[in-house]
Amino acid sequence: MERIEAVKKMRSASSKESTRNWAAYPYLFTENRQPESGNYLVIPRVSSERRIYIPIGYMPSDVIASDAVQIVPNATLYEFGMLISIVHNAWMRVVCGRLKSDYRYSNDIVYNNFPWCSPTDEQKAKIAQTAQTVLDVRNRFPEASLADLYDEMLMPVELRKAHQENDRAVMQAYGFSLKMTEGEIVAELFKLYENLTVKGSS
């Protein structure tokens, strides 16, 4: 009740009329973007530069997402597999903002501009399968947080191997050579991005 009363006072003192109007409902969020059902993907806005993979995971809809994360409602295993791949992480490392030296993930810059491939049904199913394996391996470490699991010094061997299998599935869906460096991956992604923007403007 003390927290609710503090919210009411803060809203009542606001210079914005819309915020003052919400003072009558201090127990409600002024903006509710929470998914109503199912699971959603959580992407941290800020992640350590030491990580190869941003620790992305599913959360149930009854867990409220804070402003420290981006969310993707109703994401499939295929979409999860794409976002945890080295392809997406390589793109993120080049185009994202920074907080000091850490990665700052943005839906506008990183996610919305990411050039997705056009996989076959078989390739899509393979990515979904390798993505599920990543989740299965994570579940073998119930006492570890995602921060623990994705620490480059502590990442379990089984989890790294599961990610590498997922990386291979995504690379193959793009038609990329498995020997490509991150720089070469990003160069190809920018070619795809350029083609998509040209098509979009024509």
Side-chain angles (χ1 to χ4, degrees):
M1 292 305 296
E2 289 177 2
R3 176 64 63 86
I4 291 174
E5 183 63 30
V7 170
K8 183 175 183 177
K9 288 180 179 178
M10 181 275 295
R11 290 180 180 176
S12 297
S14 175
S15 60
K16 292 175 62 176
E17 181 181 358
S18 60
T19 303
R20 291 196 303 274
N21 291 339
W22 274 99
Y25 313 100
Y27 48 86
L28 295 178
F29 292 111
T30 55
E31 293 184 27
N32 185 2
R33 300 177 183 177
Q34 186 72 15
E36 294 183 359
S37 62
N39 295 335
Y40 61 91
L41 277 184
V42 174
I43 305 174
R45 286 182 184 269
V46 179
S47 187
S48 171
E49 65 169 339
R50 296 188 299 108
R51 293 189 176 119
I52 293 178
Y53 305 100
I54 292 180
I56 299 172
Y58 282 102
M59 293 298 291
S61 59
D62 60 351
V63 175
I64 297 175
S66 78
D67 64 352
V69 298
Q70 305 279 5
I71 67 170
V72 183
N74 304 313
T76 65
L77 280 170
Y78 159 69
E79 290 160 339
F80 172 63
M82 291 290 290
L83 294 176
I84 63 170
S85 73
I86 198 66
V87 175
H88 180 255
N89 278 269
W91 171 263
M92 178 276 302
R93 268 186 271 282
V94 171
V95 304
C96 75
R98 298 278 176 160
L99 184 62
K100 294 184 178 179
S101 59
D102 288 339
Y103 307 130
R104 187 172 179 85
Y105 195 99
S106 161
N107 62 325
D108 290 330
I109 297 173
V110 182
Y111 183 88
N112 289 347
N113 290 321
F114 179 60
W116 294 68
C117 61
S118 300
T120 64
D121 290 342
E122 184 178 353
Q123 289 170 333
K124 210 168 182 178
K126 178 63 177 177
I127 294 170
Q129 176 190 335
T130 55
Q132 181 62 60
T133 300
V134 170
L135 293 175
D136 292 342
V137 172
R138 287 180 183 177
N139 288 335
R140 296 178 197 170
F141 304 90
E143 301 303 318
S145 67
L146 286 181
D148 296 331
L149 292 176
Y150 285 87
D151 186 305
E152 272 305 295
M153 299 296 291
L154 303 174
M155 190 176 192
V157 173
E158 306 98 310
L159 183 58
R160 195 178 297 276
K161 287 182 177 178
H163 268 281
Q164 289 168 345
E165 285 299 315
N166 185 73
D167 292 341
R168 278 191 277 273
V170 173
M171 296 273 282
Q172 288 168 349
Y174 274 92
F176 292 168
S177 166
L178 299 180
K179 296 180 180 179
M180 288 172 66
T181 64
E182 279 205 22
E184 291 168 335
I185 290 171
V186 172
E188 290 301 314
L189 289 175
F190 269 108
K191 290 178 185 178
L192 290 173
Y193 175 78
E194 184 178 11
N195 289 336
L196 289 171
T197 52
V198 168
K199 288 179 182 178
S201 61
S202 60

